[in-house]
């Protein structure tokens, strides 16, 4: 079997050292690894559109100031007297 890279050669060397009864597990692990890599790549390549619901503004204030502003503008939740 012709290998394409030195890494491929090293992987095959390591696999050849393993007992034949564990090879099916090794194949499952390699497939799982491959699936994980493709999943991460797919997520990185996907450009998600922002919904506009949160996290798209920029603000120079500290988190405490933003939270205070949010609390001060609460309307009382329809008269239910909710305490935050």
């Amino acid at each position: 079997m012709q290998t394409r890279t030195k890494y491929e050669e090293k992987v095959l060397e390591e696999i050849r050292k393993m007992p034949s009864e564990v090879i099916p597990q090794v194949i499952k692990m390699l497939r799982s690894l491959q699936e994980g890599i493709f999943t991460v790549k797919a997520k990185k390549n996907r450009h998600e559109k922002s919904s506009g619901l949160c996290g798209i503004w920029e603000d120079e204030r500290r988190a405490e100031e933003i939270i205070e502003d949010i609390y001060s503008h609460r309307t009382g939740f329809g008269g239910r007297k909710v305490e935050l």
Side-chain angles (χ1 to χ4, degrees):
M1 174 184 271
Q2 182 80 21
T3 57
R4 294 178 289 191
T5 66
K6 289 280 185 193
Y7 290 116
E8 195 174 301
E9 236 174 78
K10 288 181 181 187
V11 169
L12 287 173
E13 274 179 37
E14 293 300 321
I15 291 173
R16 286 182 183 129
K17 291 178 192 175
M18 295 184 178
S20 60
E21 59 268 9
V22 301
I23 297 299
Q25 276 305 109
V26 171
I27 291 170
K28 284 181 184 178
M29 291 180 348
L30 288 171
R31 286 183 179 156
S32 176
L33 176 63
Q34 183 181 29
E35 185 178 310
I37 291 168
F38 288 142
T39 300
V40 169
K41 280 185 179 181
K43 284 183 182 178
K44 283 184 180 178
N45 291 336
R46 186 175 61 196
H47 298 289
E48 293 187 25
K49 296 178 184 175
S50 63
S51 67
L53 297 176
C54 60
I56 60 172
W57 77 90
E58 290 185 21
D59 202 321
E60 297 297 320
R61 298 177 293 172
R62 294 186 349 253
E64 293 81 12
E65 293 173 297
I66 295 170
I67 292 168
E68 169 113 10
D69 190 30
I70 292 169
Y71 282 144
S72 70
H73 287 89
R74 297 289 172 147
T75 61
F77 296 96
R80 291 183 293 180
K81 308 283 189 239
V82 175
E83 297 232 1
L84 301 176

